[in-house]
Amino acid sequence: MNTGDDINSLSLSVCVGELFLFRDSDEEDMKKQVCSLLALVMTLVRVTATTDDNGPRVNITAVLGHTATFKCPQDPSNVVTRLYIQRVKDSSEIFVDGFYLNKQMNSYSRPEYLNRTKVNRADLSMEMTNVSVSDEGLYKCVIFYVKAEDSTPSKDILEIYLKVTAKYSVPIIEEECSERKNGDGTAGKSCQLSCSSMGGYPQSAVRWPELNLSLISVVHNESSEDLSSKTWTINQTITYNCNHPTNVSCDVDGAVSRTITICETESFSVKVIAAIICVLVFVLLFLLIFVVMKLCFRRCRTGNQRDAENADVPLALRASET
């Protein structure tokens, strides 16, 4: 057994011996907490000092705001006495959660982990709820156990790297196109396209899958981080010249915008359409005036015929009719 094991065993022996000197229940509870804390401190010292014992590294991924599960290696034939899960940050190790014999150790967790972690003794795992970007990083799973075949105290260390992701919102794409004359005298269009997405992690960039990259000119490119959530907002504006109808969408880390069509050809220009409308209106007015004049002419003709007929009837006959 090495020096670290001797110190750890001696510290625990002293604590156990002191427990029998106190009979008051409150004092006994206090002594148990002190012993547990002392064992934790001695273990952290040993693990920090023996980084060459580290085993393989496992990568896990969790979605922002969801739950991450840290799974430590387990051999059912061994008797596990202690489990400590620690965060490696700035060359130091921070206790996250674990257990010592039959005692849970979450009361010794840092404030940022309180009420967010839960250790499952049966499968040597830990759940961390409401994962944030600040939780991303390297962790160590430290297992102390007694080998079944020879009752030898042993220790295993597994490194676990937690990667946090957050899906970007559906990008918003906007376009504004104007007429453009090509060098050969033909007409084309120059379009300004903008794409924006937010709420994602890690930082990403805008992609234009359907466009020819050699024809893209970036006008504005901006990435901003939210100081609270550490998520990113991505914005980009480009110009693109084209002569034919082109379908366009933008992509930000797998989130795809709606598809729009730019540089659509027009069968008639606006001026031609306006001229056609004016001609149609003129023709309709002409027809309307013609119909009105026709009706008036008919009424006038009918009235004149009646007057002529009345003039040919004798006055005596008219008087007898009345």
Short mmCIF file of all heavy atoms in Angstrom, two decimals, residues 272-319:
data_model
loop_
_atom_site.label_atom_id
_atom_site.label_comp_id
_atom_site.label_asym_id
_atom_site.label_seq_id
_atom_site.Cartn_x
_atom_site.Cartn_y
_atom_site.Cartn_z
N VAL A 272 -44.67 47.38 -70.15
CA VAL A 272 -45.51 46.73 -71.15
C VAL A 272 -46.87 46.38 -70.57
O VAL A 272 -47.92 46.58 -71.20
CB VAL A 272 -44.81 45.47 -71.71
CG1 VAL A 272 -45.76 44.68 -72.61
CG2 VAL A 272 -43.55 45.85 -72.45
N ILE A 273 -46.87 45.85 -69.34
CA ILE A 273 -48.14 45.49 -68.69
C ILE A 273 -48.99 46.73 -68.50
O ILE A 273 -50.22 46.72 -68.72
CB ILE A 273 -47.86 44.79 -67.35
CG1 ILE A 273 -47.18 43.44 -67.61
CG2 ILE A 273 -49.15 44.59 -66.57
CD1 ILE A 273 -46.77 42.73 -66.34
N ALA A 274 -48.38 47.84 -68.09
CA ALA A 274 -49.13 49.09 -67.89
C ALA A 274 -49.72 49.59 -69.21
O ALA A 274 -50.87 50.08 -69.25
CB ALA A 274 -48.21 50.14 -67.28
N ALA A 275 -48.96 49.47 -70.29
CA ALA A 275 -49.47 49.92 -71.60
C ALA A 275 -50.67 49.08 -72.04
O ALA A 275 -51.65 49.61 -72.58
CB ALA A 275 -48.34 49.86 -72.64
N ILE A 276 -50.56 47.76 -71.83
CA ILE A 276 -51.67 46.87 -72.20
C ILE A 276 -52.92 47.22 -71.41
O ILE A 276 -54.03 47.25 -71.96
CB ILE A 276 -51.26 45.41 -71.97
CG1 ILE A 276 -50.16 45.01 -72.95
CG2 ILE A 276 -52.47 44.48 -72.11
CD1 ILE A 276 -49.62 43.61 -72.71
N ILE A 277 -52.75 47.49 -70.13
CA ILE A 277 -53.91 47.86 -69.30
C ILE A 277 -54.54 49.14 -69.80
O ILE A 277 -55.78 49.27 -69.88
CB ILE A 277 -53.47 47.99 -67.83
CG1 ILE A 277 -53.06 46.61 -67.28
CG2 ILE A 277 -54.59 48.58 -66.98
CD1 ILE A 277 -52.52 46.66 -65.87
N CYS A 278 -53.72 50.12 -70.16
CA CYS A 278 -54.26 51.39 -70.67
C CYS A 278 -55.05 51.18 -71.96
O CYS A 278 -56.13 51.77 -72.15
CB CYS A 278 -53.12 52.38 -70.91
SG CYS A 278 -52.34 52.99 -69.40
N VAL A 279 -54.53 50.36 -72.87
CA VAL A 279 -55.23 50.09 -74.13
C VAL A 279 -56.56 49.41 -73.86
O VAL A 279 -57.59 49.76 -74.48
CB VAL A 279 -54.35 49.23 -75.05
CG1 VAL A 279 -55.14 48.76 -76.26
CG2 VAL A 279 -53.13 50.02 -75.50
N LEU A 280 -56.55 48.43 -72.96
CA LEU A 280 -57.80 47.73 -72.64
C LEU A 280 -58.84 48.68 -72.06
O LEU A 280 -60.04 48.61 -72.40
CB LEU A 280 -57.51 46.58 -71.67
CG LEU A 280 -56.73 45.39 -72.24
CD1 LEU A 280 -56.42 44.37 -71.14
CD2 LEU A 280 -57.52 44.72 -73.37
N VAL A 281 -58.39 49.56 -71.16
CA VAL A 281 -59.32 50.54 -70.57
C VAL A 281 -59.89 51.46 -71.66
O VAL A 281 -61.10 51.77 -71.68
CB VAL A 281 -58.60 51.35 -69.47
CG1 VAL A 281 -59.49 52.52 -69.01
CG2 VAL A 281 -58.26 50.46 -68.30
N PHE A 282 -59.03 51.91 -72.57
CA PHE A 282 -59.49 52.78 -73.66
C PHE A 282 -60.52 52.08 -74.54
O PHE A 282 -61.54 52.66 -74.92
CB PHE A 282 -58.28 53.23 -74.51
CG PHE A 282 -58.65 54.07 -75.68
CD1 PHE A 282 -58.95 55.42 -75.54
CD2 PHE A 282 -58.73 53.50 -76.96
CE1 PHE A 282 -59.30 56.19 -76.65
CE2 PHE A 282 -59.08 54.27 -78.06
CZ PHE A 282 -59.37 55.62 -77.91
N VAL A 283 -60.24 50.81 -74.88
CA VAL A 283 -61.17 50.05 -75.71
C VAL A 283 -62.51 49.87 -75.01
O VAL A 283 -63.58 50.02 -75.63
CB VAL A 283 -60.56 48.67 -76.08
CG1 VAL A 283 -61.60 47.78 -76.75
CG2 VAL A 283 -59.37 48.86 -76.98
N LEU A 284 -62.48 49.57 -73.72
CA LEU A 284 -63.72 49.40 -72.98
C LEU A 284 -64.52 50.70 -72.94
O LEU A 284 -65.76 50.70 -73.08
CB LEU A 284 -63.41 48.91 -71.56
CG LEU A 284 -62.89 47.47 -71.44
CD1 LEU A 284 -62.49 47.17 -70.00
CD2 LEU A 284 -63.95 46.49 -71.92
N LEU A 285 -63.81 51.83 -72.72
CA LEU A 285 -64.52 53.12 -72.72
C LEU A 285 -65.12 53.43 -74.08
O LEU A 285 -66.26 53.92 -74.19
CB LEU A 285 -63.55 54.23 -72.31
CG LEU A 285 -63.12 54.25 -70.84
CD1 LEU A 285 -62.06 55.33 -70.60
CD2 LEU A 285 -64.33 54.50 -69.94
N PHE A 286 -64.37 53.12 -75.12
CA PHE A 286 -64.88 53.36 -76.47
C PHE A 286 -66.13 52.52 -76.73
O PHE A 286 -67.13 53.02 -77.28
CB PHE A 286 -63.79 53.02 -77.50
CG PHE A 286 -64.25 53.15 -78.91
CD1 PHE A 286 -64.31 54.40 -79.53
CD2 PHE A 286 -64.63 52.02 -79.65
CE1 PHE A 286 -64.73 54.51 -80.85
CE2 PHE A 286 -65.05 52.14 -80.96
CZ PHE A 286 -65.11 53.38 -81.56
N LEU A 287 -66.08 51.24 -76.35
CA LEU A 287 -67.25 50.39 -76.53
C LEU A 287 -68.45 50.89 -75.73
O LEU A 287 -69.59 50.85 -76.21
CB LEU A 287 -66.92 48.94 -76.13
CG LEU A 287 -65.92 48.21 -77.04
CD1 LEU A 287 -65.60 46.83 -76.47
CD2 LEU A 287 -66.51 48.07 -78.46
N LEU A 288 -68.16 51.34 -74.50
CA LEU A 288 -69.24 51.85 -73.66
C LEU A 288 -69.89 53.07 -74.28
O LEU A 288 -71.13 53.20 -74.34
CB LEU A 288 -68.70 52.17 -72.27
CG LEU A 288 -69.71 52.71 -71.27
CD1 LEU A 288 -70.81 51.68 -71.00
CD2 LEU A 288 -69.02 53.08 -69.95
N ILE A 289 -69.04 53.98 -74.79
CA ILE A 289 -69.58 55.19 -75.42
C ILE A 289 -70.37 54.83 -76.68
O ILE A 289 -71.44 55.39 -76.95
CB ILE A 289 -68.43 56.16 -75.75
CG1 ILE A 289 -67.81 56.67 -74.45
CG2 ILE A 289 -68.92 57.32 -76.60
CD1 ILE A 289 -66.56 57.50 -74.66
N PHE A 290 -69.86 53.89 -77.43
CA PHE A 290 -70.55 53.46 -78.66
C PHE A 290 -71.92 52.88 -78.34
O PHE A 290 -72.91 53.20 -79.02
CB PHE A 290 -69.68 52.44 -79.39
CG PHE A 290 -70.32 51.88 -80.62
CD1 PHE A 290 -70.34 52.60 -81.80
CD2 PHE A 290 -70.94 50.62 -80.61
CE1 PHE A 290 -70.94 52.09 -82.94
CE2 PHE A 290 -71.53 50.12 -81.73
CZ PHE A 290 -71.54 50.83 -82.91
N VAL A 291 -71.98 52.04 -77.32
CA VAL A 291 -73.27 51.43 -76.95
C VAL A 291 -74.25 52.51 -76.50
O VAL A 291 -75.44 52.50 -76.87
CB VAL A 291 -73.06 50.37 -75.86
CG1 VAL A 291 -74.41 49.89 -75.30
CG2 VAL A 291 -72.29 49.19 -76.41
N VAL A 292 -73.77 53.45 -75.68
CA VAL A 292 -74.66 54.51 -75.19
C VAL A 292 -75.19 55.36 -76.35
O VAL A 292 -76.38 55.69 -76.42
CB VAL A 292 -73.91 55.39 -74.16
CG1 VAL A 292 -74.75 56.62 -73.81
CG2 VAL A 292 -73.62 54.58 -72.92
N MET A 293 -74.31 55.70 -77.27
CA MET A 293 -74.73 56.50 -78.43
C MET A 293 -75.72 55.72 -79.30
O MET A 293 -76.68 56.29 -79.84
CB MET A 293 -73.50 56.89 -79.27
CG MET A 293 -72.59 57.88 -78.56
SD MET A 293 -71.15 58.32 -79.55
CE MET A 293 -71.96 59.13 -80.94
N LYS A 294 -75.51 54.44 -79.43
CA LYS A 294 -76.42 53.60 -80.21
C LYS A 294 -77.81 53.60 -79.61
O LYS A 294 -78.82 53.73 -80.33
CB LYS A 294 -75.85 52.17 -80.25
CG LYS A 294 -76.57 51.25 -81.19
CD LYS A 294 -76.19 51.50 -82.63
CE LYS A 294 -76.77 50.43 -83.55
NZ LYS A 294 -76.48 50.71 -84.97
N LEU A 295 -77.89 53.45 -78.29
CA LEU A 295 -79.19 53.46 -77.62
C LEU A 295 -79.89 54.79 -77.76
O LEU A 295 -81.10 54.87 -78.01
CB LEU A 295 -79.00 53.10 -76.14
CG LEU A 295 -78.55 51.67 -75.85
CD1 LEU A 295 -78.28 51.50 -74.36
CD2 LEU A 295 -79.62 50.68 -76.30
N CYS A 296 -79.11 55.86 -77.61
CA CYS A 296 -79.71 57.20 -77.75
C CYS A 296 -80.23 57.44 -79.17
O CYS A 296 -81.31 58.02 -79.38
CB CYS A 296 -78.67 58.27 -77.41
SG CYS A 296 -78.24 58.30 -75.65
N PHE A 297 -79.47 56.98 -80.15
CA PHE A 297 -79.89 57.14 -81.54
C PHE A 297 -81.21 56.40 -81.80
O PHE A 297 -82.11 56.91 -82.47
CB PHE A 297 -78.79 56.63 -82.47
CG PHE A 297 -79.15 56.69 -83.92
CD1 PHE A 297 -79.11 57.91 -84.60
CD2 PHE A 297 -79.54 55.54 -84.61
CE1 PHE A 297 -79.45 57.95 -85.95
CE2 PHE A 297 -79.88 55.60 -85.95
CZ PHE A 297 -79.84 56.80 -86.63
N ARG A 298 -81.30 55.19 -81.26
CA ARG A 298 -82.54 54.42 -81.45
C ARG A 298 -83.73 55.12 -80.81
O ARG A 298 -84.83 55.16 -81.38
CB ARG A 298 -82.37 53.01 -80.87
CG ARG A 298 -81.49 52.11 -81.72
CD ARG A 298 -81.42 50.73 -81.12
NE ARG A 298 -80.62 49.83 -81.97
CZ ARG A 298 -80.39 48.56 -81.68
NH1 ARG A 298 -80.92 48.04 -80.57
NH2 ARG A 298 -79.66 47.83 -82.49
N ARG A 299 -83.55 55.64 -79.60
CA ARG A 299 -84.66 56.32 -78.92
C ARG A 299 -85.09 57.57 -79.70
O ARG A 299 -86.28 57.85 -79.85
CB ARG A 299 -84.23 56.70 -77.51
CG ARG A 299 -84.12 55.50 -76.58
CD ARG A 299 -83.71 55.95 -75.20
NE ARG A 299 -83.59 54.81 -74.30
CZ ARG A 299 -83.23 54.91 -73.03
NH1 ARG A 299 -82.93 56.11 -72.52
NH2 ARG A 299 -83.17 53.83 -72.29
N CYS A 300 -84.14 58.31 -80.19
CA CYS A 300 -84.48 59.53 -80.96
C CYS A 300 -85.22 59.18 -82.24
O CYS A 300 -86.19 59.84 -82.64
CB CYS A 300 -83.21 60.31 -81.30
SG CYS A 300 -82.43 61.05 -79.84
N ARG A 301 -84.82 58.14 -82.91
CA ARG A 301 -85.46 57.73 -84.16
C ARG A 301 -86.89 57.26 -83.94
O ARG A 301 -87.80 57.59 -84.70
CB ARG A 301 -84.63 56.62 -84.80
CG ARG A 301 -85.13 56.20 -86.17
CD ARG A 301 -84.18 55.19 -86.76
NE ARG A 301 -84.65 54.77 -88.08
CZ ARG A 301 -84.03 53.88 -88.85
NH1 ARG A 301 -82.91 53.32 -88.39
NH2 ARG A 301 -84.51 53.55 -90.03
N THR A 302 -87.06 56.51 -82.86
CA THR A 302 -88.42 56.04 -82.53
C THR A 302 -89.33 57.21 -82.22
O THR A 302 -90.51 57.25 -82.63
CB THR A 302 -88.34 55.08 -81.33
OG1 THR A 302 -87.48 54.00 -81.64
CG2 THR A 302 -89.72 54.55 -80.98
N GLY A 303 -88.85 58.21 -81.53
CA GLY A 303 -89.66 59.40 -81.19
C GLY A 303 -90.05 60.19 -82.42
O GLY A 303 -91.19 60.67 -82.55
N ASN A 304 -89.16 60.31 -83.36
CA ASN A 304 -89.47 61.05 -84.59
C ASN A 304 -90.52 60.33 -85.42
O ASN A 304 -91.41 60.96 -86.03
CB ASN A 304 -88.20 61.22 -85.43
CG ASN A 304 -87.20 62.15 -84.73
OD1 ASN A 304 -87.61 63.01 -83.94
ND2 ASN A 304 -85.91 62.00 -85.05
N GLN A 305 -90.47 59.03 -85.47
CA GLN A 305 -91.46 58.27 -86.23
C GLN A 305 -92.85 58.46 -85.63
O GLN A 305 -93.84 58.62 -86.34
CB GLN A 305 -91.10 56.79 -86.26
CG GLN A 305 -89.89 56.48 -87.14
CD GLN A 305 -89.53 55.02 -87.11
OE1 GLN A 305 -90.09 54.27 -86.33
NE2 GLN A 305 -88.61 54.63 -88.01
N ARG A 306 -92.95 58.48 -84.33
CA ARG A 306 -94.25 58.67 -83.68
C ARG A 306 -94.80 60.06 -83.97
O ARG A 306 -96.00 60.25 -84.21
CB ARG A 306 -94.11 58.45 -82.17
CG ARG A 306 -93.91 57.00 -81.81
CD ARG A 306 -93.75 56.87 -80.31
NE ARG A 306 -93.57 55.47 -79.93
CZ ARG A 306 -93.37 55.07 -78.68
NH1 ARG A 306 -93.29 55.97 -77.70
NH2 ARG A 306 -93.24 53.78 -78.45
N ASP A 307 -93.95 61.04 -83.97
CA ASP A 307 -94.42 62.40 -84.26
C ASP A 307 -94.93 62.51 -85.69
O ASP A 307 -95.94 63.19 -85.97
CB ASP A 307 -93.27 63.40 -84.06
CG ASP A 307 -92.87 63.49 -82.59
OD1 ASP A 307 -93.69 63.12 -81.72
OD2 ASP A 307 -91.72 63.96 -82.29
N ALA A 308 -94.26 61.84 -86.62
CA ALA A 308 -94.70 61.88 -88.03
C ALA A 308 -96.04 61.21 -88.21
O ALA A 308 -96.92 61.68 -88.96
CB ALA A 308 -93.63 61.23 -88.92
N GLU A 309 -96.25 60.11 -87.55
CA GLU A 309 -97.52 59.40 -87.66
C GLU A 309 -98.67 60.24 -87.10
O GLU A 309 -99.77 60.29 -87.65
CB GLU A 309 -97.43 58.06 -86.93
CG GLU A 309 -96.50 57.06 -87.62
CD GLU A 309 -96.35 55.80 -86.80
OE1 GLU A 309 -96.90 55.77 -85.67
OE2 GLU A 309 -95.70 54.84 -87.26
N ASN A 310 -98.42 60.91 -86.02
CA ASN A 310 -99.46 61.76 -85.42
C ASN A 310 -99.81 62.94 -86.31
O ASN A 310 -100.95 63.43 -86.33
CB ASN A 310 -98.99 62.27 -84.06
CG ASN A 310 -98.89 61.13 -83.04
OD1 ASN A 310 -99.59 60.12 -83.17
ND2 ASN A 310 -98.03 61.31 -82.04
N ALA A 311 -98.87 63.40 -87.08
CA ALA A 311 -99.13 64.56 -87.96
C ALA A 311 -100.05 64.17 -89.12
O ALA A 311 -100.82 65.00 -89.63
CB ALA A 311 -97.80 65.11 -88.50
N ASP A 312 -100.09 62.93 -89.59
CA ASP A 312 -100.91 62.49 -90.71
C ASP A 312 -102.35 62.18 -90.30
O ASP A 312 -103.24 62.06 -91.15
CB ASP A 312 -100.30 61.23 -91.35
CG ASP A 312 -98.94 61.54 -91.98
OD1 ASP A 312 -98.69 62.73 -92.30
OD2 ASP A 312 -98.12 60.59 -92.13
N VAL A 313 -102.67 62.10 -89.05
CA VAL A 313 -104.04 61.78 -88.61
C VAL A 313 -104.88 63.07 -88.60
O VAL A 313 -104.44 64.09 -88.05
CB VAL A 313 -103.99 61.16 -87.21
CG1 VAL A 313 -105.41 60.91 -86.70
CG2 VAL A 313 -103.20 59.86 -87.25
N PRO A 314 -106.18 63.07 -89.23
CA PRO A 314 -107.03 64.27 -89.22
C PRO A 314 -107.37 64.68 -87.78
O PRO A 314 -107.40 63.87 -86.87
CB PRO A 314 -108.27 63.83 -89.98
CG PRO A 314 -107.81 62.65 -90.79
CD PRO A 314 -106.75 61.98 -89.99
N LEU A 315 -107.68 66.02 -87.66
CA LEU A 315 -107.99 66.56 -86.34
C LEU A 315 -109.31 66.00 -85.82
O LEU A 315 -109.48 65.76 -84.63
CB LEU A 315 -108.09 68.08 -86.43
CG LEU A 315 -106.75 68.78 -86.73
CD1 LEU A 315 -106.99 70.30 -86.90
CD2 LEU A 315 -105.75 68.49 -85.63
N ALA A 316 -110.34 65.77 -86.74
CA ALA A 316 -111.62 65.26 -86.31
C ALA A 316 -111.47 63.88 -85.71
O ALA A 316 -112.10 63.52 -84.72
CB ALA A 316 -112.61 65.24 -87.48
N LEU A 317 -110.58 63.07 -86.39
CA LEU A 317 -110.38 61.71 -85.92
C LEU A 317 -109.70 61.73 -84.56
O LEU A 317 -110.01 60.93 -83.67
CB LEU A 317 -109.55 60.92 -86.94
CG LEU A 317 -109.27 59.48 -86.60
CD1 LEU A 317 -110.60 58.72 -86.39
CD2 LEU A 317 -108.42 58.81 -87.67
N ARG A 318 -108.80 62.71 -84.41
CA ARG A 318 -108.09 62.80 -83.11
C ARG A 318 -109.08 63.13 -81.99
O ARG A 318 -109.01 62.61 -80.89
CB ARG A 318 -107.01 63.87 -83.13
CG ARG A 318 -105.85 63.48 -84.03
CD ARG A 318 -104.81 64.59 -83.98
NE ARG A 318 -103.75 64.37 -84.95
CZ ARG A 318 -102.75 65.20 -85.15
NH1 ARG A 318 -102.67 66.34 -84.44
NH2 ARG A 318 -101.86 64.93 -86.06
N ALA A 319 -110.10 64.07 -82.36
CA ALA A 319 -111.05 64.49 -81.35
C ALA A 319 -111.98 63.36 -80.98
O ALA A 319 -112.34 63.17 -79.82
CB ALA A 319 -111.89 65.68 -81.89
#
